[in-house]
Amino acid sequence: MAHPQMFDDDDPMLERVRAIALGLPEAAEKISHGRPAFFTEKIFAHYGGTEKHAAGEMVQHPQALLVLLYPMDAEAVLEQPGSFVPMYLGPSGWVGLEIADLDDGEIRELLVDSYRNTASARLIKALDAQA
């Protein structure tokens, strides 16, 4: 059974993320578990996520960016307001951050860092050539 769509196509925050993510070399978008996911060979970002509290309560974060960062960078992100450890992906090192108060440069930095952690050496070289 397919997951229901868990995002609004007209979400202006998604449009910002989409524009930045799809500007990275060979990046594409697909729907994964009802939410937008950005990938090359591997997924480097998810838009929207869920956080599960110890008491079992699940909290939706529809305008959050889920990224895979280096451990020290992930720790720094988790100290920010609006950050969380996403359900299912958190144990693999992924972090979530509400992005409503972030500017495009901050969103790009998160996306690029996660891209670098998932892309091939060839794509990282192409990314560096873009700069």
Side-chain angles (χ1 to χ4, degrees):
M1 176 180 203
H3 289 271
Q5 182 169 315
M6 300 175 70
F7 66 96
D8 180 359
D9 281 319
D10 297 327
D11 180 349
M13 199 66 61
L14 172 57
E15 288 303 317
R16 289 176 59 205
V17 169
R18 184 178 279 145
I20 297 166
L22 296 179
L24 300 174
E26 298 183 28
E29 179 180 351
K30 65 182 177 182
I31 305 303
S32 176
H33 298 87
R35 298 184 190 272
F38 301 93
F39 69 100
T40 57
E41 291 96 359
K42 297 179 182 178
I43 293 175
F44 65 89
H46 293 268
Y47 182 75
T50 305
E51 174 185 17
K52 186 173 183 179
H53 291 268
E57 174 192 10
M58 291 199 272
V59 178
Q60 298 297 319
H61 296 272
Q63 291 186 317
L65 187 61
L66 278 54
V67 289
L68 182 62
L69 305 175
Y70 290 112
M72 290 183 66
D73 294 335
E75 287 178 29
V77 166
L78 288 172
E79 292 174 0
Q80 297 182 30
S83 66
F84 62 99
V85 176
M87 204 164 87
Y88 303 117
L89 297 173
S92 298
W94 288 74
V95 295
L97 183 63
E98 294 284 349
I99 58 172
D101 294 331
L102 300 183
D103 64 33
D104 287 355
E106 293 166 316
I107 293 170
R108 179 174 169 71
E109 184 178 337
L110 290 167
L111 288 168
V112 166
D113 287 352
S114 190
Y115 182 96
R116 287 184 182 282
N117 284 327
T118 60
S120 67
R122 178 184 65 79
L123 291 177
I124 292 171
K125 186 175 180 181
L127 175 67
D128 291 340
Q130 269 187 350

